[in-house]
Amino acid sequence: MAVVERTQSEAQRRVQILNAARNVFKEKGYETATISEIVKQAGVAQGTFYLYFDSKKSIVIELARLPMAEMAEKLMKILSGTEPFEELLRNFVRLGFEVGAESPDLCRLMHMSSENTEAVKEFEAHSDVTRQAVGMFERFRSSGQMVDMNPVVASEMFRIIMTGAMQLAFATDPRPAPLSEIVRATEIVVVRSFVTDPA
């Protein structure tokens, strides 16, 4: 019984630290937030922090896992449809913004800092979302609906376009245009970049 209790309390401490980090990042921003502030808000000792995370960057990766997992699950449904490539791409773009709007603080955190961008980019490179995107591009390249491009390169270019769009939508203050306009512009850029004969 003691092992179960210890495991539960360890899991709870990890969640406490993650929640505190998210609050501190939201309040102070990633660059100015300190581990001292995170542990103070979490109510744990500084040494406890390092039992679970080795840096602020590792917390960002952990915080990114939830929206990425949600995105992968929803994307699977989108990609299992029979719509033409252009419509699937539009739905993929909309999904990215939908997930971003549900957690704008995490979206901002993932796309604001250059240090985070590199860490998140590395995480995303091995994510289910990336594997699904590569599979989608392979499928439509072979059907002739996609411009002739390496699917891995296409997936990375798509990620770069979406990252820039997410920065405009969630990390730029004030936002340069309404969210709906940014979504529509992103759809146009993505469709024109990858679809052989866009409508």
Side-chain angles (χ1 to χ4, degrees):
M1 190 66 167
V3 173
V4 172
E5 287 175 13
R6 190 174 70 231
T7 303
Q8 285 176 336
S9 66
E10 287 173 1
Q12 290 167 342
R13 244 189 318 275
R14 183 180 181 80
V15 169
Q16 267 179 274
I17 294 168
L18 283 168
N19 288 340
R22 186 171 178 178
N23 289 336
V24 171
F25 291 150
K26 198 186 297 187
E27 202 177 288
K28 303 252 180 176
Y30 175 82
E31 304 297 338
T32 57
T34 65
I35 291 172
S36 296
E37 291 167 325
I38 293 168
V39 296
K40 182 178 179 185
Q41 189 161 123
V44 299
Q46 189 129 353
T48 303
F49 174 91
Y50 290 106
L51 292 173
Y52 300 95
F53 304 100
D54 60 5
S55 64
K56 286 194 306 182
K57 194 183 340 183
S58 65
I59 289 185
V60 172
I61 297 298
E62 194 61 33
L63 288 170
R65 287 185 196 285
L66 185 60
M68 290 296 286
E70 181 185 335
M71 177 110 176
E73 187 178 318
K74 291 179 177 181
L75 184 58
M76 192 181 306
K77 292 175 186 166
I78 288 172
L79 296 181
S80 65
T82 57
E83 293 85 3
F85 182 43
E86 181 173 339
E87 190 56 34
L88 285 178
L89 276 177
R90 289 180 186 279
N91 289 338
F92 196 159
V93 168
R94 290 179 199 133
L95 174 62
F97 282 99
E98 177 187 308
V99 171
E102 288 170 3
S103 302
D105 63 312
L106 292 181
C107 189
R108 201 168 22 260
L109 188 62
M110 291 167 62
H111 298 292
M112 195 62 174
S113 153
S114 58
E115 181 184 356
N116 283 349
T117 302
E118 284 307 308
V120 171
K121 180 181 168 185
E122 188 178 320
F123 166 69
E124 286 178 340
H126 305 288
S127 74
D128 287 340
V129 172
T130 298
R131 282 189 282 281
Q132 289 171 314
V134 170
M136 174 191 70
F137 286 121
E138 285 172 347
R139 173 177 147 201
F140 287 104
R141 180 184 181 199
S142 63
S143 76
Q145 293 180 56
M146 184 182 121
V147 296
D148 190 21
M149 182 187 303
N150 178 321
V152 174
V153 172
S155 175
E156 181 63 9
M157 289 179 69
F158 179 80
R159 186 197 65 75
I160 291 167
I161 293 167
M162 287 300 293
T163 295
M166 292 292 181
Q167 286 174 340
L168 277 178
F170 300 111
T172 305
D173 189 24
R175 184 184 287 156
L179 182 59
S180 60
E181 190 176 325
I182 295 171
V183 174
R184 191 172 54 252
T186 307
E187 287 180 36
I188 291 167
V189 169
V190 165
V191 166
R192 289 184 181 169
S193 298
F194 300 111
V195 179
T196 48
D197 295 310

